[in-house]
Amino acid sequence: MELFTGLSFSVLCIQILVGLSKATILFIVASGLTLILGVLRIPNLAHGSLYMIGAFTTYSIATAFSQSSLGFWVALLLAPLAVALIGLIMEQGLFRFLYKRDHLMMLLFTFSFSLVFADLVKMIWGSDYRSLAVPEIFQGSYLLLGMPFPRYNLFLLLLGPLFAAGLWYLTNRTLLGKISRAAAVDREMVGAVGVNVNLVYAAVFVIGCYLAGIGGALVAPTQNITQGMDHSIIIEIFLIVIIGGLGNVWGALLGAVIFGLTDAIGILVAPQFGIVFPYLAVITVLIFRPKGLLKSIW
Amino acid sequence: MIFGIFGKKSLPLVTLFLAGLFCMPFVTPRFYIYLASVILVTGLLATSLNLVLGYGGMYQFHHAVFYGVGAYTTALLLTKTSLPIWVAFASAPLVAALFGLVIGLICARLSSLHFGMLQLSLGSLLWVIVYRWYDFTGGDDGIHGISMPAAISGTTSAYYFILIITALCLLLMFILIKSPFGRILQALRDNPERCAAIGVNVTWHRILAIMIAAFFAGVAGSLFVTLEGSVFPGLLFWTLSLEILIMCLLGGWFTFFGPMLGAFLIISLRTVAGNYTEYWTLILGLMMMLTIFFLPKGVLGFVNDLFRSRSPDQPLEESSHATDKVSTKIV
């Protein structure tokens, strides 16, 4: 079935699935950013760097365990924890002294972090490309509608809803989630009723960084791990967070799906300008709803 | 009160400083002339950002877009058309101001963080288009080897051209800051609610400020083309915007000459540090963190505070905090 020249129905379907699996990674990273932005009000430009560190750490751990077939899975477990630890040090060491400063100061402060991280990564891993093999269970492709679809992407597709459900549970059903949503609206009042707000802030920041690390670990087998990964993802996830509504996890999911789909389908329609479509979608949304599609939590 | 601390004695000082800059090509090697040109162009860009940021209190996260638009306008007019060169130079700021109008119309109603974020996304869209449109903008290769007329090509002549234009632009911006419009802008920064209450059209003043800042950024962009003879998408990338934000902050973003000083400090530091280490951004990052912790008003702001309790251009502390609280409640 030809939709129009060169574009068949099955190609379109596969491309939609590819877009959705890209959206999964974007959603996981962006949800971390949206938590930090929503609750702590830090526009964390270092989030992309944490994602990059997650990917590089995954590479190192997976190569260290390359004899066993479990290398990638060990890395998937450990690398995000390492990133979360870095996040804990950042928050406890520096950020908590700056909560009273305005957004601009926080933006520049996190940007200086991203500069430092970029050079640290260059020092530790050098400036060469790194690539990681897809774990053994997910090597190869399935045939869907007569088109090959990588098994690893299917794994990512399944992870997306799992993470969405987990985050929904975390923010809506747990005590931490409820307190953090309250702290996002009025920090002083939450402190006044006897909650240790600093602890809540630290926990939210660490969870956000952990999500960035997971995103980096999951993306490692699908693309080259390079310097500059941080710059390319940070704008994408910022846009996703904005169109979703700052601080709204469902908004991040919606934004990631819009971004992933417009990207994947845009490449089919106009190969050269494929990358423009997600940006166009974002601008269209923002012109009509400047504060995002869904309600932001503050 | 050009330097804030020097009061009315500042005029001879500025004249002396300008005279020194004019004599520079006679005494220093060519490399320093080139470096001084880079500092002047970047400093002009940072000063134009500071019109909106320090004086208008708007979080212009992606100011470099106007710089890139100005540079690309000049470059495209010079390479694709046979129009006289002054048309190419004159249209750069106008096109940049037009982009400022569009971005202002979309963003100006929003509160600080949303304002900055929306700008970041609009700017990124523009960057992506420039980056991908190989047939028109040269894509990620950019446009190179743009020839300039003999009068402004060559390091020294380009330096004089840049120096004169930059000095003129700075003078215009300084007059603007001291004009009633500049005062309204500062009042808007300190207390937008009260301004609205006394009948100031907040949105239009903000849009106008963005347009004026975009205009001067466009001038800086065409000066960049004069200096380098090339353009590339990096001129519209968001990291450049953050770098000039850092210059404003480091030099002192509530002072007129702070951004210029910031540009001087950062570019000379980059040149010096670049000789010793390839990890220059690490040094910049650490330096920025120290500045934010210990000198939140920047170097000139700190010097001003040493000499007097408050410079007239700086925001009123209490009211700015008050408005900050109000605006966060509104979001």
Side-chain angles (χ1 to χ4, degrees):
Chain A
M1 191 163 82
E2 292 268 325
L3 293 179
F4 50 91
T5 33
L7 179 60
S8 68
F9 178 68
S10 51
V11 171
L12 184 69
C13 285
I14 291 293
Q15 202 60 21
I16 286 174
L17 288 180
V18 168
L20 286 177
S21 55
K22 190 190 175 192
T24 299
I25 305 248
L26 288 174
F27 163 63
I28 292 171
V29 184
S31 61
L33 182 70
T34 207
L35 281 179
I36 294 175
L37 192 58
V39 178
L40 283 72
R41 306 200 177 184
I42 302 176
N44 187 12
L45 282 179
H47 205 72
S49 314
L50 293 169
Y51 158 87
M52 176 170 72
I53 291 173
F56 271 103
T57 322
T58 305
Y59 166 80
S60 288
I61 298 175
T63 357
F65 286 89
S66 57
Q67 282 82 10
S68 80
S69 58
L70 288 174
F72 175 74
W73 304 106
V74 176
L76 188 58
L77 199 70
L78 293 182
L81 287 177
V83 175
L85 186 68
I86 296 173
L88 184 68
I89 296 168
M90 276 163 75
E91 205 274 339
Q92 283 299 301
L94 295 166
F95 281 46
R96 68 191 174 114
F97 302 110
L98 293 168
Y99 288 135
K100 295 233 165 65
R101 304 286 180 86
D102 55 9
H103 301 313
L104 180 73
M105 289 291 181
M106 292 312 281
L107 186 90
L108 288 176
F109 195 71
T110 55
F111 181 64
S112 28
F113 253 109
S114 81
L115 293 177
V116 170
F117 279 143
D119 263 2
L120 284 179
V121 166
K122 208 195 282 174
M123 273 182 196
I124 298 171
W125 283 283
S127 29
D128 298 337
Y129 280 39
R130 304 293 170 109
S131 53
L132 189 63
V134 174
E136 271 174 34
I137 326 169
F138 294 117
Q139 276 170 6
S141 316
Y142 293 108
L143 276 181
L144 293 177
L145 299 163
M147 297 287 294
F149 185 70
R151 291 185 188 196
Y152 187 75
N153 283 31
L154 207 66
F155 165 65
L156 289 180
L157 271 180
L158 296 177
L159 269 184
L162 218 62
F163 265 91
L167 280 167
W168 172 81
Y169 188 81
L170 184 74
T171 50
N172 287 295
R173 286 287 180 270
T174 62
L175 189 61
L176 175 67
K178 288 173 183 171
I179 292 176
S180 66
R181 282 194 299 154
V185 178
D186 195 336
R187 181 195 156 110
E188 279 80 19
M189 190 52 80
V190 172
V193 296
V195 174
N196 186 344
V197 184
N198 284 332
L199 201 66
V200 175
Y201 272 28
V204 171
F205 194 83
V206 167
I207 291 171
C209 295
Y210 181 79
L211 287 168
I214 290 244
L218 285 174
V219 90
T222 63
Q223 66 175 55
N224 282 329
I225 307 162
T226 62
Q227 304 279 326
M229 277 173 84
D230 51 346
H231 282 174
S232 56
I233 196 159
I234 189 80
I235 284 294
E236 297 181 355
I237 57 175
F238 255 102
L239 298 182
I240 286 167
V241 165
I242 302 164
I243 57 168
L246 303 181
N248 191 322
V249 173
W250 293 113
L253 181 61
L254 187 63
V257 168
I258 292 175
F259 208 93
L261 283 183
T262 43
D263 186 40
I265 296 171
I267 286 173
L268 288 182
V269 178
Q272 191 190 348
F273 285 105
I275 194 175
V276 177
F277 289 93
Y279 289 85
L280 276 179
V282 170
I283 303 293
T284 320
V285 167
L286 286 180
I287 287 172
F288 294 107
R289 291 187 67 101
K291 293 193 174 172
L293 287 168
L294 302 184
K295 194 170 169 289
S296 70
I297 62 172
W298 51 275
Chain B
M1 270 158 269
I2 289 184
F3 281 105
I5 50 168
F6 298 109
K8 284 179 180 167
K9 290 174 210 152
S10 58
L11 196 63
L13 201 88
V14 170
T15 322
L16 199 71
F17 196 64
L18 271 179
L21 283 175
F22 261 97
C23 297
M24 221 181 121
F26 301 112
V27 283
T28 48
R30 277 169 66 103
F31 176 68
Y32 290 101
I33 308 294
Y34 169 75
L35 205 62
S37 316
V38 175
I39 291 171
L40 284 172
V41 173
T42 323
L44 176 61
L45 175 64
T47 312
S48 73
L49 165 65
N50 202 37
L51 283 185
V52 203
L53 181 78
Y55 289 96
M58 286 173 271
Y59 289 167
Q60 186 111 320
F61 285 174
H62 210 334
H63 191 62
V65 161
F66 307 122
Y67 182 57
V69 164
Y72 267 95
T73 308
T74 309
L76 288 171
L77 284 177
L78 285 179
T79 49
K80 308 251 167 188
T81 66
S82 52
L83 288 170
I85 188 152
W86 62 269
V87 176
F89 279 119
S91 38
L94 296 177
V95 174
L98 195 69
F99 273 83
L101 176 67
V102 174
I103 289 182
L105 280 172
I106 299 172
C107 305
R109 286 167 293 119
L110 297 174
S111 58
S112 60
L113 190 57
H114 281 103
F115 175 87
M117 297 285 184
L118 188 49
Q119 271 211 335
L120 213 52
S121 42
L122 287 166
S124 308
L125 173 73
L126 218 55
W127 171 75
V128 164
I129 292 173
V130 168
Y131 188 78
R132 284 289 165 149
W133 201 351
Y134 285 94
D135 309 330
F136 187 59
T137 61
D140 53 352
D141 298 331
I143 304 167
H144 296 279
I146 303 158
S147 58
M148 290 288 153
I152 53 169
S153 62
T155 317
T156 314
S157 348
Y159 168 76
Y160 277 122
F161 181 66
I162 288 168
L163 180 61
I164 292 166
I165 301 282
T166 307
L168 267 176
C169 288
L170 287 183
L171 184 66
L172 281 176
M173 280 194 267
F174 189 74
I175 294 170
L176 190 84
I177 288 304
K178 298 296 172 194
S179 74
F181 175 77
R183 294 298 179 197
I184 291 176
L185 208 57
Q186 289 165 54
L188 277 180
R189 169 195 66 195
D190 288 345
N191 199 335
E193 286 78 16
R194 192 174 293 171
C195 285
I198 59 169
V200 174
N201 190 334
V202 177
T203 311
W204 273 106
H205 276 86
R206 285 188 169 158
I207 292 174
L208 201 57
I210 295 171
M211 276 178 73
I212 292 168
F215 180 90
F216 287 111
V219 175
S222 57
L223 290 183
F224 177 86
V225 180
T226 318
L227 183 64
E228 304 282 351
S230 61
V231 287
F232 42 86
L235 294 175
L236 296 97
F237 199 51
W238 62 273
T239 50
L240 179 64
S241 295
L242 266 292
E243 274 168 34
I244 53 175
L245 272 170
I246 286 179
M247 287 171 192
C248 288
L249 181 72
L250 181 68
W253 50 311
F254 297 125
T255 59
F256 187 74
F257 282 103
M260 205 40 125
L261 178 71
F264 169 75
L265 288 176
I266 285 180
I267 290 173
S268 32
L269 192 77
R270 170 162 58 200
T271 317
V272 174
N275 287 335
Y276 296 100
T277 169
E278 61 171 311
Y279 301 115
W280 128 260
T281 55
L282 182 83
I283 299 170
L284 178 66
L286 291 175
M287 205 177 72
M288 272 318 296
M289 289 183 196
L290 290 176
T291 314
I292 291 171
F293 258 95
F294 299 110
L295 293 178
K297 284 180 184 170
V299 176
L300 268 191
F302 176 71
V303 175
N304 272 350
D305 281 359
L306 277 186
F307 282 81
R308 70 164 82 174
S309 56
R310 191 180 67 79
S311 134
D313 286 341
Q314 283 172 24
L316 304 160
E317 287 297 330
E318 308 79 48
S319 73
S320 76
H321 278 300
T323 48
D324 197 37
K325 275 202 178 129
V326 172
S327 61
T328 48
K329 284 286 182 318
I330 290 169
V331 220

